[in-house]
Amino acid sequence: MPDLLIELFSEEIPARMQKRAGEDLKKLVTDGLVEAGLTYASAGAFATPRRLALSVEGLLARSPDLREERKGPKVGAPDQAIEGFCRGAGVARDALQVRDDKKGQVYFAVIDRPGRPAAEIVAEVLEKTIRTFPWPKSMRWGAGSLRWVRPLHSILCILSDEAGAETVPLEVDGITAGNMTKGHRFMAPAAFSVSSFDDYRAKLRRAFVLLDPEERANHIWTDATNAAFAQGLELVEDAGLLAEVAGLVEWPVVLMGEIGADFLDLPPEVLQTSMKEHQKFFSVKNPKTGRIERFVTVANRETADNGATVLAGNQKVLAARLSDAKFFWENDLRIAKGDKMAPWVAQLENVTFHAKLGSQAARIARIAALSGEIAPMVGADAALAVEAAKVAKADLSSEMVYEFPELQGLMGRYYADAAGLPAEVAAACQEHYSPLGPSDDVPSAPVSVTVALADKLDTLTGFWAIDEKPTGSKDPYALRRAALGVIRLVLGNGVRVNIASQLQSDFHLHLSGVRYDVKETFVSNEEWWPGDFDEPELKRGAVEKQDFIVFTNSVESIVFNFDGLSDRFISKRQEVIEGRKADPHYDDYDQYNELVDEIRLRANSIWSPEAKTQNHIQAASLSLATDLLAFFHDRLKVHLRDEGVRHDVIDACLAMPGNDDLVLLVKRAEALTAFLGTEDGTNLLQGFKRANNILTQAEEKDSVEYSFGAEPKLAEDASETALFAALDAEAPQIAAAMKAEDFAAAMSALARLRAPIDAFFEAVQVNSDNAVIRRNRLNLLSRIRTLCLGVADLTKIEG
Amino acid sequence: MAVEKPKSFQEIILRLQAYWAARGCAVMQPYDMEVGAGTFHPATTLRALGSKSWAAAYVQPSRRPTDGRYGENPNRLQHYYQYQVLIKPSPPDLQALYLGSLEAIGIDMEMHDIRFVEDDWESPTLGAWGLGWEVWCDGMEVSQFTYFQQVGGHDCTPVSGELTYGLERLAMYVLGIDHVMEMPYNDPQAPIALSYGDVFRQTEEEYSRWNFDVANTEMLLKHFEEAEAECEAILAQAHDDPKTGKRIVMAHPAYDQCIKASHIFNLLDARGVISVTERQAYIGRVRALAKQCADAFVQTEAGGYAPSAA
C-alpha cells in the first residue's frame, strides 16, 4: 500500500490562515480520494509560512473494480427504447444479457468499471483541490489566471512504497509536479528531492524547517519560558500570539530583550498590547512587582552573533513604538487631569456612532438620561450613574485608544482615576462594556451595572428603531450579545424592571430625536431635491441620498406609512439618470418632479409639530417595544435552556402577566421546575389537566364559561365537600404567597390540593344528569383552574 | 559577500537606482505634482492597468500634511521620500529580486532576520487593492510588497508587483541613526557635509505651520471643486480631436486633476475642517475621479487599446 505526500510551496502564507488551510487541504484531498474509491489508513496535514503539506498513509494502489447491473426494457420493446438504454448505460447492444423477470424477459446491461491507478486519481483530485481551494482571500500573479493565497511556486506530489517513490504526473497552470522542495529561505535555500514523508520531514529539519506547527509552538513556548525562568521572571501566556508567531517562522529562535527603563511605568496592559500588536512580542513579567520588564521575540533564523544584531534591531524598534505610547499616555493624562476629560467628551460630537443614530455624543446623552432612570431600580446613586455614563466613553477620544482600540474602557478607568473622579465612576468606565460574552463576568457594582444596562438598552432600541435587526447568522452590531448582556446583568444582580415599559420609553427617546433630524435634512434642504440638476451633482449626492432614503424608509415604515413612495422615487431617479446618459437632451422630468412634490408634501404634513405626530410615535414605540421584548424572550429561552430549564416550563412562565420582569420570570421558572420534579407536582399537573379538559369540553359544548358560583351546599359527596374545604383553606395561602412572589410556597399549597382533587375525581361523576349539580361541579373545577393558572400556565406543560 | 555599508541617505538612493536599473527597470524621475505616496505616480497607478508589460523604478517625494511635527519627531515628516518599483507582469522571482536590493544597500542577510508579514493593501482613494506583505527587518517594517489585483475598479491582468520602500526609515536603520534630522544626507566626509536636517528641518517647520494653521481652507475647498470639475470636463471630451483629427484620450491630464483633488483633500484634512462623515464622501469623490481616469487610460494605446479591436 503506497503512501502519498503532497507539498504546495508558495510565497509567505498569512499566519492566521495556515491552520485552516492545512485542514482544508486534508479534507478536500482525502474526501476526493475516498469518493473515487481510494481508501486510506491515516492522514496528517502541516503548514509553515511557505508550504502546505499533506501525508496520506496506507492508500490503496488502485481503486477497486466495480460492476454495476442495470435493468432495461423488456425483450421485444421498440428498438428506439433499447438503443437509448444502451447509450445511457454505455454498452453495446450485443453485450446486453437477457434475464427472466416477474413479467417476462428483460434486458440487463452489465457495466464493468475497472479500477484506476492511484496516481491518476491523485492527480485529478489534487488539481481540483488547488483550483477550488477555499482561501479566505486569494490572488492572481504574473500573467497567469490561477488563484492562490500568494504566488504558488512548486508542487511536490509523490506516491511511495517499499519499492521506491514515483512522482504523480500533474500540471497546474504551468507548474509541473515533482519530487523537489526547498529548505529555509536563508539558511538552506537549495532544492532537494524527497522519497517519502519521513524523508521529507527529516531533510526539512536538516534544512532548518520544522514542518509541524505544533512542534514550532512547543519549541517557542519551552525556550521562552526557560529564558524567562532563568532570570526569575515569567512569560505572560498568550495562546493566540503563540499560534501566530509559530506561523511566521520555519526555524524559530527565541530571543529575550529588555524594555527601556523609561517605559516601565506605562500601564502593563499598554506595554503588552503595544508589543503584541505592533511587534508580535511576548511580555515577560516580574512576579514580584507584577510589572512587565522584558520581551521575547522569535526570529526566523540563527546568526553568527547568536541573534545580537537581530535583538538590537528589535529593541530599537520597540523603543520607537513605546516612545509613541508614552507620548500618548502623557498627553492623555494631561487632558484627563486638566478638565476631567471634558474635551474628549466634546470631541465625540464629531464622531459618528452610526449614520442613522447620530454622533457618539448624542448616544452618550441618551445613555446618561437612561442611566438616571435605571439607577433607582438597580439601587445605584442616580447622580453618580449619570456622571459615570457621561464619561464612560470619553476615552474613545484619547490618543491611546485611537492607537489601541482594544484598550477602550480600561484606559477610561486609568484616566478617570487620574482625573480624581469617584472610584465608582472609574470602575464603570471599564465595566460598562461587560459582559462581552457568555462566559465574561457580570459586573456587580451598582453604578457599573446601571451604565452597562443603559448602554446595551440604548444600542438595542436604537438599532431596532432603524430596523437593523439581526437576521439568520448576520448580527453585525452584536445585538444578540447585547440582549444576553442585559439578561445576565438583570438576573445576576436581581434587578427588578419591567422591560417592556422601559423599552417603550427608550424608543420614544430615539424616535423623537430621529424625527427631528429627518425633518431638518428632508424638508429644509431644498438643494437635495432639484427639479433640474446636472449629472455630476446628482452623482455626488447619490450616496447620501440613497442612505437617507433607506433611513427615512425605515422610520416611515414604523411611524408612518409611505406606501413605498421612497422606492418609487429611487427607481424613477435611476430612470432619469439613465435617460440623461443616453440622451443629452433628455427632459422627461414630470413624473420625477411629481414624486418629489409628493414626498415634500407628505414630509411637511407629517413633521408638523402636532399632537398627531406624538401619537404616531407613541404607537410606534409600543409596537417596537413588543417586538424587542419578543427578541429578549427568545434570548432568555436560549439562556435558560443552556442552564437546563425545560422549554415548556419557560413557555408556561412566559404566558403569565409580568413576563417582562425577567427576575420574576426566572424565579417562577425555577420554582416550577422544582415543583414538577416532585411526585405531588406531576400528580397535581394530571389533576389540573383532567379538570381543565372536562371544563373546556363542557364550555365548548354549552358555549358558556364556568367561572363563578360553586356552592358547597350543593355538594353531594363527601369528597366534593372536602374539595370545597381544601380550596377554601389553600386559596388564601396561595394568594398570600403569590403576593410575596414566593412561588415555592404557592406551589406547595397547590400540591396540598392533590389528594382532595384525586379523591374527587375518584368518587364523583362531574357530568351528572342533574343539570344543577353538573353546573356546580364545573364551577368547582373552574376554581381549581383559576388557582393553578394564577401560578403558571400549566396548559403549556407537556406530559 | 557582505556589501560595504553606505555612508549617506543619498548613497542608499543611488544604490537602489543602480540596482533596479541593472535589473532592467526604466529609472524614472519623480512625478512633478504633490502626491501622498509613490503609488499615485502615473507610472504606477495608470501603468498597472491594461495588458502592456512595464518595469519602472523611481523616487517619489510624498506629502502627508497630517504627519507634520515641525521637524521635531525623530520619525515623522510631512514630506518624505518613497522608493517605488513596479513590474508588470510580476516576475516569479520578485521576492528574490527584492531581497537582492536590500543586500545592495548593505543589509547582510546572514546577520538579519527578514520576514514577510501579511499586509493587504488597499487605497480607498484610488479604488485599488492588492495582497502582499509588509517586509520586516529585525522587527522593523522596511517595505511594502504588493501584488496589485485591482486599480480604479479594473481587474489587473496581468498582475503588477509593486515594491515601496520608506526611504528615510530604511536609511536610518541601515545607517544606525536615531533621529531623522541627524542622518547624513551626503557623504559625511564631503567638503560640505549636509545632514537631512540641514536640508529639510526648516521646510518641515514652515509646512507644518502652513498645513495645520494657515492654509486657506475656503480657497482649498474651491480648488477641490475646480479640480474635480476639470477632471470630469476633460474626460467628457470626445476621443477624436477635432483639430488634429487624431484619437486623443486625455487620461493623463485628467488624472493630474484627480491627484490634485486628492492632495487638496489631505490638506483640508490636516486643517481639521473635514468631519468624519464628510471624510467618506470626499474619499468617494476622489475615488470616482480615479475610476474615471482608469476607464479613460484603458482607452489609450499605453493602456492596451488596439484600434482594430474598437
Side-chain angles (χ1 to χ4, degrees):
Chain A
M1 289 216 175
D3 298 332
L4 170 65
L5 173 64
I6 293 170
E7 183 203 60
L8 303 170
F9 184 84
S10 67
E11 296 178 14
E12 277 75 357
I13 306 165
R16 66 188 170 94
M17 299 178 190
Q18 290 168 18
K19 184 167 191 284
R20 178 67 197 269
E23 287 162 5
D24 285 340
L25 177 65
K26 180 168 143 185
K27 182 166 175 21
L28 289 171
V29 171
T30 54
D31 283 1
L33 294 176
V34 169
E35 197 181 318
L38 284 188
T39 54
Y40 62 97
S42 64
F46 306 91
T48 80
R50 295 213 289 167
R51 57 198 97 220
L52 293 182
L54 174 68
S55 160
V56 182
E57 289 178 354
L59 196 65
L60 287 181
R62 287 182 67 83
S63 57
D65 296 337
L66 291 179
R67 163 166 291 197
E68 186 197 337
E69 294 192 348
R70 214 181 277 182
K71 185 176 164 187
K74 275 192 280 195
V75 172
D79 267 5
Q80 248 175 325
I82 298 169
E83 305 266 309
F85 172 67
C86 289
R87 257 198 316 280
V91 295
R93 181 157 181 175
D94 53 11
L96 291 180
Q97 297 180 4
V98 177
R99 294 188 194 169
D100 287 325
D101 195 67
K102 274 173 259 166
K103 292 177 188 165
Q105 288 197 310
V106 170
Y107 284 116
F108 268 79
V110 178
I111 309 158
D112 280 311
R113 297 192 197 283
R116 296 195 297 151
E120 208 178 297
I121 294 171
V122 167
E124 278 172 19
V125 169
L126 183 55
E127 173 166 4
K128 185 172 172 219
T129 299
I130 292 173
R131 291 195 187 280
T132 59
F133 204 79
W135 292 108
K137 261 187 189 174
S138 64
M139 54 166 272
R140 295 170 289 108
W141 61 95
S145 62
L146 186 64
R147 301 189 77 90
W148 200 245
V149 64
R150 292 293 183 277
L152 180 64
H153 280 252
S154 66
I155 300 169
L156 181 155
C157 186
I158 57 170
L159 283 164
S160 57
D161 55 21
E162 304 78 30
E166 65 159 318
T167 299
V168 173
L170 162 71
E171 197 201 292
V172 184
D173 265 41
I175 306 170
T176 307
N179 62 351
M180 304 290 287
T181 187
K182 287 177 182 172
H184 190 279
R185 184 191 280 284
F186 300 105
M187 298 181 76
F192 55 86
S193 68
V194 300
S195 57
S196 68
F197 176 65
D198 290 340
D199 184 47
Y200 170 70
R201 192 172 176 147
K203 279 180 178 160
L204 275 182
R205 182 182 289 271
R206 285 203 290 281
F208 304 97
V209 175
L210 291 181
L211 180 65
D212 186 348
E214 226 163 287
E215 190 183 352
R216 294 196 300 276
N218 288 338
H219 177 94
I220 293 167
W221 183 250
T222 309
D223 275 16
T225 42
N226 286 345
F229 181 76
Q231 305 285 333
L233 304 171
E234 61 189 37
L235 196 68
V236 177
E237 228 179 294
D238 190 335
L241 182 61
L242 182 62
E244 186 183 1
V245 170
L248 286 171
V249 293
E250 293 201 308
W251 192 250
V253 174
V254 165
L255 301 169
M256 187 164 73
E258 292 191 11
I259 296 168
D262 284 0
F263 309 118
L264 292 178
D265 290 333
L266 283 169
E269 297 90 347
V270 170
L271 281 174
Q272 206 179 324
T273 307
S274 173
M275 296 202 295
K276 172 185 175 169
E277 291 302 313
H278 291 311
Q279 301 304 131
K280 309 196 193 301
F281 289 173
F282 290 92
S283 296
V284 180
K285 193 158 78 179
N286 184 336
K288 285 178 214 111
T289 60
R291 292 202 308 191
I292 287 168
E293 297 180 350
R294 295 193 183 207
F295 68 88
V296 159
T297 183
V298 182
N300 187 32
R301 64 163 304 152
E302 296 165 16
T303 61
D305 63 355
N306 291 318
T309 309
V310 174
L311 189 59
N314 274 287
Q315 224 147 356
K316 197 166 165 176
V317 182
L318 179 64
R321 288 288 189 192
L322 292 183
S323 300
D324 280 348
K326 195 177 165 164
F327 179 76
F328 300 148
W329 170 244
E330 285 168 358
N331 274 355
D332 285 350
L333 279 182
R334 213 176 49 237
I335 291 173
K337 285 176 183 167
D339 207 2
K340 300 199 172 178
M341 313 206 266
W344 286 342
V345 177
Q347 274 174 40
L348 291 175
E349 277 170 28
N350 301 322
V351 180
T352 308
F353 166 57
H354 182 283
K356 299 169 194 172
L357 292 174
S359 68
Q360 287 282 14
R363 176 187 177 208
I364 288 167
R366 290 193 304 264
I367 295 175
L370 206 48
S371 294
E373 282 179 39
I374 296 176
M377 306 173 201
V378 181
D381 181 312
L384 266 185
V386 171
E387 187 183 358
K390 283 182 176 161
V391 297
K393 294 187 189 295
D395 65 346
L396 294 179
S397 303
S398 71
E399 294 187 49
M400 190 69 86
V401 173
Y402 181 81
E403 187 71 10
F404 301 115
E406 63 269 47
L407 292 180
Q408 70 176 16
L410 179 77
M411 295 321 295
R413 183 176 201 155
Y414 276 114
Y415 296 144
D417 273 333
L421 294 173
E424 295 94 324
V425 172
C429 288
Q430 181 179 10
E431 292 176 349
H432 82 279
Y433 289 106
S434 299
L436 285 171
S439 54
D440 196 20
D441 285 342
V442 176
S444 57
V447 171
S448 298
V449 172
T450 302
V451 183
L453 276 174
D455 186 12
K456 291 167 180 63
L457 286 174
D458 177 71
T459 300
L460 284 162
T461 50
F463 285 105
W464 235 255
I466 60 167
D467 203 20
E468 288 276 4
K469 305 172 200 173
T471 50
S473 61
K474 282 199 194 116
D475 185 11
Y477 304 107
L479 300 182
R480 293 193 180 104
R481 194 173 77 183
L484 180 62
V486 170
I487 289 168
R488 292 188 61 213
L489 281 160
V490 164
L491 296 182
N493 293 289
V495 179
R496 301 303 299 269
V497 51
N498 286 99
I499 290 195
S501 57
Q502 185 59 48
L503 291 176
Q504 212 179 321
S505 94
D506 300 352
F507 276 121
H508 200 276
L509 208 63
H510 269 294
L511 293 178
S512 307
V514 158
R515 181 184 63 92
Y516 176 75
D517 291 347
V518 174
K519 183 184 180 218
E520 282 302 293
T521 39
F522 200 69
V523 180
S524 64
N525 199 343
E526 288 284 327
E527 68 174 282
W528 277 21
W529 309 100
D532 197 7
F533 47 79
D534 62 331
E535 201 181 330
E537 188 184 356
L538 190 68
K539 262 190 199 155
R540 203 178 306 143
V543 177
E544 292 156 288
K545 261 183 218 164
Q546 189 77 25
D547 210 31
F548 173 72
I549 296 287
V550 172
F551 168 43
T552 47
N553 245 353
S554 65
V555 176
E556 252 92 74
S557 63
I558 300 160
V559 185
F560 318 102
N561 183 7
F562 249 47
D563 311 327
L565 186 58
S566 305
D567 284 339
R568 276 187 284 145
F569 173 73
I570 289 171
S571 68
K572 184 70 206 171
R573 192 187 57 200
Q574 195 54 39
E575 215 181 293
V576 171
I577 291 171
E578 269 152 29
R580 286 179 59 97
K581 257 190 212 151
D583 173 12
H585 305 295
Y586 179 90
D587 65 349
D588 187 8
Y589 293 115
D590 288 353
Q591 287 182 352
Y592 175 79
N593 286 336
E594 272 168 31
L595 281 170
V596 169
D597 286 344
E598 197 180 339
I599 289 180
R600 202 180 279 150
L601 197 72
R602 291 229 202 170
N604 278 321
S605 73
I606 283 165
W607 284 302
S608 60
E610 286 163 13
K612 188 177 143 205
T613 310
Q614 282 300 318
N615 291 340
H616 275 305
I617 291 183
Q618 206 76 12
S621 300
L622 178 62
S623 99
L624 282 169
T626 310
D627 191 33
L628 183 50
L629 182 64
F631 181 70
F632 269 110
H633 282 157
D634 281 347
R635 292 294 97 199
L636 183 67
K637 277 186 192 177
V638 174
H639 177 67
L640 290 180
R641 225 172 287 163
D642 290 347
E643 309 250 294
V645 181
R646 274 162 48 181
H647 71 94
D648 54 341
V649 168
I650 302 172
D651 288 339
C653 298
L654 278 177
M656 301 305 290
N659 67 2
D660 64 334
D661 177 342
L662 303 183
V663 173
L664 188 74
L665 185 62
V666 169
K667 233 166 135 180
R668 196 191 297 265
E670 282 167 353
L672 186 56
T673 301
F675 182 59
L676 291 176
T678 64
E679 206 196 326
D680 275 353
T682 43
N683 286 335
L684 179 80
L685 181 67
Q686 295 316 319
F688 162 78
K689 292 212 159 175
R690 195 166 165 189
N692 190 44
N693 285 341
I694 293 171
L695 203 46
T696 318
Q697 278 165 17
E699 283 176 337
E700 261 172 34
K701 191 173 155 221
D702 306 347
S703 300
V704 285
E705 194 186 337
Y706 294 99
S707 58
F708 188 69
E711 282 287 347
K713 62 178 187 229
L714 290 175
E716 286 188 329
D717 190 272
S719 68
E720 206 171 352
T721 314
L723 183 54
F724 269 108
L727 286 169
D728 286 344
E730 300 303 342
Q733 309 262 8
I734 293 171
M738 289 302 290
K739 199 165 176 224
E741 293 176 5
D742 186 347
F743 297 109
M747 287 176 198
S748 26
L750 277 183
R752 288 195 290 275
L753 291 174
R754 177 207 151 182
I757 290 173
D758 284 354
F760 170 77
F761 280 125
E762 197 71 23
V764 169
Q765 173 86 31
V766 175
N767 286 318
S768 160
D769 294 337
N770 181 333
V772 177
I773 299 291
R774 176 174 173 267
R775 188 167 63 239
N776 197 52
R777 285 177 180 163
L778 288 169
N779 280 329
L780 177 60
L781 292 187
S782 146
R783 281 188 67 185
I784 298 174
R785 177 170 72 179
T786 308
L787 269 183
C788 289
L789 289 183
V791 178
D793 186 351
L794 297 182
T795 59
K796 297 273 199 291
I797 302 294
E798 291 165 6
Chain B
M1 159 128 178
V3 180
E4 198 190 328
K5 291 254 178 217
K7 297 188 192 66
S8 66
F9 183 57
Q10 71 186 24
E11 190 179 346
I12 288 172
I13 295 176
L14 291 170
R15 286 197 194 180
L16 285 173
Q17 299 276 47
Y19 178 85
W20 286 108
R23 264 90 205 143
C25 284
V27 172
M28 304 195 55
Q29 301 304 320
Y31 202 56
D32 58 344
M33 291 189 67
E34 300 133 310
V35 294
T39 310
F40 278 85
H41 196 308
T44 290
T45 314
L46 296 183
R47 294 290 178 159
L49 292 162
S51 55
K52 290 199 166 177
S53 297
W54 182 253
Y58 55 90
V59 178
Q60 181 62 48
S62 306
R63 301 195 188 210
R64 296 204 176 156
T66 43
D67 279 353
R69 295 291 183 274
Y70 301 84
E72 287 160 13
N73 187 292
N75 304 300
R76 276 193 207 281
L77 300 161
Q78 57 83 39
H79 172 284
Y80 64 105
Y81 289 108
Q82 283 192 343
Y83 196 86
Q84 176 89 4
V85 179
L86 189 87
I87 305 180
K88 180 173 79 171
S90 63
D93 58 346
L94 188 57
Q95 278 188 316
L97 284 172
Y98 166 74
L99 292 170
S101 75
L102 293 187
E103 289 196 85
I105 57 172
I107 295 179
D108 179 359
M109 297 293 143
E110 293 300 305
M111 298 306 287
H112 293 275
D113 179 33
I114 309 287
R115 231 85 75 65
F116 292 84
V117 180
E118 177 191 14
D119 188 33
D120 300 339
W121 172 81
E122 188 183 8
S123 168
T125 38
L126 289 176
W129 68 276
L131 299 191
W133 311 273
E134 44 182 56
V135 185
W136 286 14
C137 175
D138 302 336
M140 188 179 73
E141 184 194 338
V142 289
S143 302
Q144 287 277 341
F145 192 129
T146 307
Y147 292 101
F148 277 3
Q149 302 295 301
Q150 242 186 25
V151 173
H154 291 258
D155 279 343
C156 297
T157 42
V159 168
S160 300
E162 183 214 38
L163 306 172
T164 304
Y165 308 69
L167 281 172
E168 281 81 357
R169 189 164 17 168
L170 179 61
M172 283 167 69
Y173 190 73
V174 171
L175 300 171
I177 305 291
D178 291 327
H179 197 298
V180 63
M181 292 299 168
E182 286 155 17
M183 178 160 63
Y185 196 97
N186 59 1
D187 188 338
Q189 308 303 318
I192 303 172
L194 295 169
S195 71
Y196 195 92
D198 292 331
V199 182
F200 286 121
R201 190 192 300 275
Q202 184 180 322
T203 52
E204 279 300 306
E205 255 182 18
E206 293 176 7
Y207 279 103
S208 293
R209 183 174 176 198
W210 182 70
N211 291 339
F212 288 129
D213 302 319
V214 178
N216 180 337
T217 56
E218 251 172 64
M219 179 201 71
L220 288 171
L221 282 166
K222 206 170 87 205
H223 283 355
F224 183 94
E225 307 281 340
E226 285 166 358
E228 185 184 47
E230 178 66 3
C231 181
E232 284 173 339
I234 294 171
L235 294 174
Q237 298 294 317
H239 290 175
D240 294 321
D241 172 27
K243 195 167 93 190
T244 61
K246 289 184 184 172
R247 185 176 186 281
I248 306 179
V249 178
M250 294 168 288
H252 287 80
Y255 181 61
D256 283 353
Q257 299 302 320
C258 169
I259 295 179
K260 203 172 272 184
S262 170
H263 179 63
I264 292 169
F265 162 71
N266 288 340
L267 286 170
L268 286 167
D269 199 23
R271 288 286 277 114
V273 295
I274 292 181
S275 75
V276 182
T277 30
E278 285 174 323
R279 240 186 102 80
Q280 286 314 311
Y282 272 101
I283 290 173
R285 286 164 73 175
V286 177
R287 182 170 53 236
L289 296 181
K291 188 170 176 330
Q292 292 172 59
C293 293
D295 293 347
F297 181 74
V298 296
Q299 288 298 313
T300 69
E301 203 190 322
Y305 174 84
S308 57

